[in-house]
C-alpha cells in the first residue's frame, strides 16, 4: 500500500478574516437564487393574473397588499438592488480596479448601503410616503 503524504490545505475561514467583500459575494449568490426562484414565481403569477382578467388580478392584488405580500415584494426589491449593485462592483473589479483592501471594503459597504437606500426610496415612493 502506498504511503499517505500530508497534503497542503487551501486557506479556509480559519485563516481569512470575515469582511464586507466576502459578505457581498455571498449575498450576490443568494440574491441571484432568490430572484430566480421567488422573483420569477411572483412575476409569473402577476402576468398570469393580468392575462386572466379582473377577478384574478384582484386576487393577486389582495394577497400582494397583505403584510406578507409586502414583505415578499420589498425583499425581492432589495434582492434586485443588492444583486445589481454587486454585479456593478464585480464588473468594476473585472477591469482590475478596487482590489486594494481599502477601496474594496468601501465599495462592498456602499453596495450594501446603496441597496437598502434604493429599496427604501422606491417603496416610500410606491406607498406614498414621499412624493
Amino acid at each position: 500500500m502506498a504511503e499517505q503524504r500530508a497534503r497542503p490545505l487551501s486557506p479556509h475561514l480559519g485563516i481569512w478574516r470575515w469582511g464586507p467583500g466576502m459578505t457581498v459575494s455571498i449575498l450576490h449568490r443568494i440574491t441571484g437564487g432568490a430572484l430566480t426562484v421567488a422573483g420569477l414565481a411572483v412575476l409569473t403569477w402577476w402576468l398570469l393574473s393580468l392575462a386572466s382578467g379582473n377577478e384574478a388580478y384582484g386576487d393577486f392584488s389582495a394577497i400582494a397588499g397583505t403584510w406578507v405580500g409586502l414583505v415578499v415584494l420589498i425583499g425581492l426589491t432589495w434582492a434586485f438592488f443588492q444583486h445589481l449593485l454587486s454585479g456593478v462592483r464585480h464588473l468594476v473589479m473585472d477591469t482590475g480596479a478596487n482590489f486594494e483592501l481599502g477601496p474594496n471594503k468601501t465599495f462592498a459597504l456602499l453596495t450594501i448601503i446603496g441597496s437598502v437606500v434604493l429599496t427604501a426610496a422606491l417603496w416610500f415612493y410606491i406607498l406614498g410616503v414621499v412624493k
Side-chain angles (χ1 to χ4, degrees), residues 6-123:
R7 297 175 59 167
L9 299 176
S10 71
H12 193 261
L13 292 177
I15 295 172
W16 296 103
R17 288 184 8 183
W18 195 263
M22 295 169 78
T23 303
V24 170
S25 180
I26 292 169
L27 281 176
H28 187 72
R29 294 167 194 263
I30 292 170
T31 55
L35 289 169
T36 300
V37 176
L40 282 176
V42 171
L43 177 64
T44 302
W45 181 23
W46 176 67
L47 290 172
L48 286 173
S49 72
L50 278 174
S52 299
N54 290 338
E55 185 177 335
Y57 186 73
D59 292 343
F60 172 83
S61 295
I63 293 172
T66 65
W67 71 270
V68 174
L70 287 174
V71 166
V72 169
L73 292 174
I74 292 169
L76 285 172
T77 306
W78 171 79
F80 169 76
F81 283 126
Q82 178 62 42
H83 197 75
L84 174 72
L85 295 177
S86 180
V88 169
R89 176 178 174 264
H90 281 281
L91 182 64
V92 169
M93 289 177 67
D94 284 346
T95 67
N98 286 332
F99 279 105
E100 300 80 22
L101 289 178
N104 188 295
K105 182 178 179 180
T106 301
F107 206 2
L109 288 172
L110 287 174
T111 299
I112 296 169
I113 294 166
S115 67
V116 171
V117 168
L118 288 170
T119 301
L122 179 63
W123 277 96

